[in-house]
Amino acid sequence: MHKVNPIGVFDSGVGGLSVLHEIRRALPAEDLLYVADSGHAPYGDKSQQFIEERSIAISQFLVSRNAKAIVVACNTATGAAIATLRSRFSVPIIAMEPAVKPATANTQSGVIGVLATSRTLVSDNFVQLFARYGGNVQIVGQACPGLVEQVEAGDLSGHKTRLLLERYIAPLLEQKVDIIVLGCTHYPFLAPLIKELAGPKVTVIDSAAAVARELCRRLEVDQLLASQARMGTECFWTSGELGNAQPLVSQLWQAEIRLSRFES
Ligand code: DGL
């Protein structure tokens, strides 16, 4: 494995771009490969076996492109497939973990909320997080069906997205949460609306920056960090409709990009 090799990143769709932004900020010299499995999103209502198969197929593709590490920029795929991926691939696999630990450390009200997909909330990883940090703090999990689809459709602030978010945030406010954890990588793109609806007394956090730091640490330990004297590049693939995905990925990445079709 060489330092000049790229880092592979994938998600069920465009949500993982919120993690890719933090990776780019933390590691400007690295080449980045991103696969959006938008043709199969959302993962949240699929079986564990389906998510494992998709995660393996995408990881195989990234490894065939010489990825020196893989970031599973999807909480749902982390919950369903991380153990399988780590047993199948020898490159470092970096996983998502909802920011429950910092939220429980910083809450003043003693109640935190977690917005995530239904599948993430019932995953072993999440149940363990709950048990580890939920001792003195009440953790209110809220499943958010439909939100991933809104982001995939590029509707970040329209009427339907607002209605869904109002419905999901109201129970958290009733329970007096003062921190909302975004436990799905699509949701940071809805953060302005979530903050508006939750009000100024509630802090909204996600774990993208922490995942980028963990990736950095791991590459450093394995002596795989790219030389700092260069500017990294990005390549994007989607299993979704190219015509729809091209403008959406450009919008969320905040730069005109060229998207290729991912077939598998
Ligand atoms: N971005 C994915 C996550 O973090 C969305 C999952 C889905 O497609 O349902 O969980």
Side-chain angles (χ1 to χ4, degrees), residues 132-181:
R132 199 172 329 140
Y133 299 110
N136 299 320
V137 172
Q138 189 188 341
I139 304 174
V140 185
Q142 174 65 52
C144 304
L147 274 192
V148 166
E149 289 90 326
Q150 292 306 107
V151 177
E152 288 292 314
D155 184 349
L156 305 184
S157 57
H159 183 62
K160 186 168 175 205
T161 305
R162 181 176 278 270
L163 281 182
L164 283 172
L165 278 174
E166 277 172 358
R167 189 192 309 157
Y168 298 143
I169 290 171
L172 303 185
L173 298 181
E174 264 165 40
Q175 302 265 352
K176 307 248 179 301
V177 308
D178 64 348
I179 300 181
I180 293 180
V181 175

Side-chain angles (χ1 to χ4, degrees), residues 11-16 40-45 73-77 96 116-117 120 148-149 152 183-187:
D11 177 42
S12 63
V14 293
H40 299 94
Y43 280 0
D45 58 8
C74 177
N75 291 270
T76 308
M96 296 304 299
T117 66
T120 292
V148 166
E149 289 90 326
E152 288 292 314
C184 167
T185 56
H186 280 72
Y187 303 167

Side-chain angles (χ1 to χ4, degrees), residues 9 34 56 65 90 100 105 117 136 139 145 157-158 191 215 224 226 246:
V9 182
Y34 184 86
I56 290 168
R65 294 254 160 186
S90 56
V100 167
T117 66
N136 299 320
I139 304 174
S157 57
L215 171 66
L224 283 174
Q246 176 83 43

Side-chain angles (χ1 to χ4, degrees), residues 16-26 189 252-254:
L17 292 168
S18 63
V19 181
L20 201 71
H21 275 293
E22 292 300 332
I23 294 174
R24 173 49 77 227
R25 225 189 302 273
F189 291 115
L252 299 180
W253 186 244
Q254 293 167 354

Side-chain angles (χ1 to χ4, degrees), residues 4-248:
V4 292
N5 287 15
I7 296 164
V9 182
F10 77 91
D11 177 42
S12 63
V14 293
L17 292 168
S18 63
V19 181
L20 201 71
H21 275 293
E22 292 300 332
I23 294 174
R24 173 49 77 227
R25 225 189 302 273
L27 295 166
E30 300 288 345
D31 290 339
L32 305 176
L33 314 176
Y34 184 86
V35 177
D37 199 13
S38 296
H40 299 94
Y43 280 0
D45 58 8
K46 307 287 190 313
S47 70
Q48 165 148 8
Q49 189 190 343
F50 180 87
I51 300 169
E52 276 182 343
E53 282 167 9
R54 294 306 303 158
S55 301
I56 290 168
I58 297 167
S59 299
Q60 257 155 4
F61 170 75
L62 292 169
V63 166
S64 77
R65 294 254 160 186
N66 299 320
K68 62 185 174 186
I70 293 175
V71 179
V72 183
C74 177
N75 291 270
T76 308
T78 294
I82 198 70
T84 305
L85 292 180
R86 286 191 170 134
S87 70
R88 289 235 183 175
F89 297 94
S90 56
V91 295
I93 311 254
I94 311 299
M96 296 304 299
E97 178 177 296
V100 167
K101 183 180 172 189
T104 52
N106 291 309
T107 177
Q108 301 293 314
S109 69
V111 191
I112 68 156
V114 182
L115 300 177
T117 66
S118 327
R119 185 160 268 290
T120 292
L121 292 176
V122 298
S123 69
D124 288 348
N125 288 10
F126 190 74
V127 171
Q128 280 160 22
L129 260 188
F130 215 95
R132 199 172 329 140
Y133 299 110
N136 299 320
V137 172
Q138 189 188 341
I139 304 174
V140 185
Q142 174 65 52
C144 304
L147 274 192
V148 166
E149 289 90 326
Q150 292 306 107
V151 177
E152 288 292 314
D155 184 349
L156 305 184
S157 57
H159 183 62
K160 186 168 175 205
T161 305
R162 181 176 278 270
L163 281 182
L164 283 172
L165 278 174
E166 277 172 358
R167 189 192 309 157
Y168 298 143
I169 290 171
L172 303 185
L173 298 181
E174 264 165 40
Q175 302 265 352
K176 307 248 179 301
V177 308
D178 64 348
I179 300 181
I180 293 180
V181 175
L182 304 183
C184 167
T185 56
H186 280 72
Y187 303 167
F189 291 115
L190 303 172
L193 188 51
I194 294 172
K195 286 179 187 163
E196 181 199 318
L197 295 172
K201 291 193 186 126
V202 177
T203 307
V204 177
I205 62 172
D206 66 69
S207 53
V211 168
R213 279 198 301 276
E214 171 58 14
L215 171 66
C216 255
R217 190 197 65 77
R218 186 63 201 268
L219 291 177
E220 205 164 8
V221 167
D222 292 358
Q223 302 192 324
L224 283 174
L225 277 175
S227 137
Q228 294 304 305
R230 64 193 291 279
M231 281 290 286
T233 61
E234 299 97 26
C235 292
F236 298 89
W237 288 263
T238 183
S239 60
E241 271 290 312
L242 272 187
N244 296 334
Q246 176 83 43
L248 179 61

